[in-house]
Amino acid sequence: MSYRTFYVTTKNETEALKIAETLVNERLVACANLIPGMKSIYRWHGRLEHNQETILLLKTKDSEAEKVVARISELHSYTVPCIVSWEIKEANQKYLRWIDSEIGK
């Protein structure tokens, strides 16, 4: 079994909470961590932007990755949301079994 962590930036804590609660309630992710107060600097439509955002870290099984991306895209307010993930290579095995028990029920 393979597992993934998703990194998602959101416009604020309210949006992050909505996405997190939806994904956990729909059993697409086992856990969501919200990290408010991140400062982002990026170029958008030719202008340099400075914004505060909230980070979402989501843990799930690899088999749910496409569904997670699709659902975040539906819920997110950004035209081009940052939704990236990476494979969990090492982890507490009890934690991974807990993820298994929470996904897709």
Side-chain angles (χ1 to χ4, degrees):
M1 184 84 49
S2 297
Y3 303 87
R4 300 200 79 67
T5 296
F6 276 84
Y7 169 88
V8 180
T9 57
T10 63
K11 71 178 178 180
N12 56 38
E13 199 168 343
T14 301
E15 180 172 66
L17 186 60
K18 175 186 167 190
I19 292 169
E21 286 180 344
T22 300
L23 294 176
V24 171
N25 281 330
E26 293 178 359
R27 296 196 177 268
L28 293 173
V29 303
C31 176
N33 305 112
L34 283 70
I35 306 171
M38 179 189 67
K39 293 183 181 183
S40 294
I41 302 169
Y42 55 92
R43 188 169 299 283
W44 184 251
H45 295 294
R47 286 190 359 213
L48 191 62
E49 299 285 340
H50 293 254
N51 286 304
Q52 284 234 172
E53 295 181 299
T54 297
I55 299 169
L56 263 177
L57 294 174
L58 308 164
K59 277 73 79 185
T60 191
K61 295 193 292 190
D62 199 45
S63 61
E64 301 300 307
E66 285 184 31
K67 293 178 200 169
V68 170
V69 171
R71 193 65 173 118
I72 293 169
S73 297
E74 290 171 1
L75 297 166
H76 209 292
S77 65
Y78 290 175
T79 306
V80 182
C82 170
I83 308 168
V84 298
S85 72
W86 54 87
E87 183 181 0
I88 297 173
K89 295 263 185 187
E90 287 129 292
N92 174 341
Q93 293 302 305
K94 287 181 181 179
Y95 184 73
L96 297 179
R97 285 192 297 274
W98 174 77
I99 289 174
D100 283 335
S101 74
E102 293 302 313
I103 300 298
K105 288 185 174 183

